[in-house]
Amino acid sequence: MLFDPTIFLEALVSPALIQGALTTIGLSICVQVTAFALCLPVAIGLSSRRTVVRWALLAYVWLFRSAPMILVLLFIWNGLPQLFPIFRSAWFTPFLAAYIGMTLVGVAYNAEIMRAALGSLGAGQREAAAALGLTRFPAFRLVVLPQAMRIALPSLMNEFISLLKSTSLAYTISLRELMTTTSLSISASFRFTEWYACAFLYYLVMVSVLTLAQGWIERRMSAPYSRKNNDRDAGPGAVRAIPALNGSAQNL
């Protein structure tokens, strides 16, 4: 029999595979949160008027967008201990090495996304915020950043999904994430189809949850703009309904 449902179900709920999936999710969340927090100053710096700052950040983005993820991971895990003895200690685990390497790459990609989103906003947004009496930082936080996030959200979520799948490359540094656990289980049982099917199902569920979350966040962020457009399209002479005293609706 090529496919054994019993083995598949046992593998699906095995503690090793669940632990591997949790490691994948935990690593992805840690990397994405850190990469997003660090990409904002990098994205702003890419448009800085200070030549040294701008060129230094451009070099960083160019370097880590050019290097393959697997090469960055291998350099962090194998290269840093040779260059700096402090990384030879027990605290430098495969999870930490994967976190550092993937964050460095993630910052570079997310910074480019945020730079493009910030650049797509016209100068009129900042001028309007200044006319309201907002200083530079409150104007950025309350006016510019929310609009840029609405533009950048689909690309950022796509990067998050790609990151989730890229964690499988951490098998090269012995991190026991989902694919490493799957490979070790196959080596012990020689049941390729069942274990690969389980791994695929885990990835399918995780990506589906992220896709649903992306749709929900996009709707929430677009709701104020949709209401604004509806009000503008309705016009000053439009008929609107208001609650009557008895709870029913009346047209004015």
Side-chain angles (χ1 to χ4, degrees):
M1 189 174 184
L2 298 179
F3 186 87
D4 191 332
T6 303
I7 296 178
F8 170 77
L9 293 175
E10 291 177 354
L12 192 65
V13 296
S14 64
L17 206 61
I18 293 174
Q19 182 62 41
L22 291 176
T23 301
T24 294
I25 295 172
L27 177 61
S28 301
I29 293 175
C30 291
V31 170
Q32 185 65 17
V33 170
T34 308
F36 176 73
L38 296 178
C39 82
L40 283 175
V42 174
I44 297 172
L46 289 173
S47 302
S48 175
R49 296 179 180 178
R50 298 180 180 180
T51 305
V52 176
V53 173
R54 185 175 68 254
W55 280 102
L57 294 176
L58 284 172
Y60 168 81
V61 172
W62 167 73
L63 179 66
F64 283 100
R65 289 181 70 191
S66 302
M69 177 75 78
I70 191 170
L71 180 60
V72 175
L73 293 176
L74 290 173
F75 180 83
I76 295 293
W77 179 243
N78 296 320
L80 286 185
Q82 290 186 352
L83 296 175
F84 307 100
I86 190 174
F87 288 100
R88 300 172 189 172
S89 302
W91 61 267
F92 190 56
T93 61
F95 185 94
L96 182 58
Y99 168 74
I100 294 173
M102 292 183 175
T103 299
L104 290 173
V105 176
V107 170
Y109 280 95
N110 289 343
E112 276 295 303
I113 294 172
M114 289 304 301
R115 181 195 61 80
L118 292 171
S120 66
L121 300 177
Q125 299 292 332
R126 297 174 177 84
E127 294 173 357
L132 294 174
L134 295 176
T135 57
R136 187 172 182 178
F137 179 73
F140 176 80
R141 182 174 62 88
L142 299 174
V143 178
V144 176
L145 184 59
Q147 297 184 69
M149 282 299 302
R150 178 171 169 263
I151 297 170
L153 181 63
S155 297
L156 290 175
M157 290 300 296
N158 286 336
E159 280 299 314
F160 192 12
I161 291 173
S162 297
L163 170 66
L164 181 73
K165 294 182 289 186
S166 296
T167 56
S168 60
L169 296 175
Y171 80 92
T172 57
I173 60 173
S174 304
L175 178 64
R176 292 201 171 212
E177 42 72 54
L178 182 57
M179 280 306 301
T180 305
T181 304
T182 302
S183 299
L184 292 175
S185 300
I186 290 174
S187 300
S189 63
F190 294 99
R191 302 298 303 192
F192 296 90
T193 309
E194 292 84 359
W195 282 97
Y196 282 143
C198 289
F200 174 73
L201 184 59
Y202 271 91
Y203 279 114
L204 186 65
V205 170
M206 290 187 289
V207 172
S208 299
V209 170
L210 288 179
T211 303
L212 292 174
Q214 175 184 348
W216 180 80
I217 296 173
E218 287 181 355
R219 289 192 297 271
R220 290 294 301 269
M221 297 185 71
S222 300
Y225 299 93
S226 300
R227 289 196 296 267
K228 186 187 300 182
N229 293 334
N230 292 336
D231 293 342
R232 184 172 60 249
D233 294 339
V239 177
R240 60 187 179 89
I242 64 172
L245 295 177
N246 60 1
S248 61
Q250 294 180 338
N251 291 330
L252 296 181

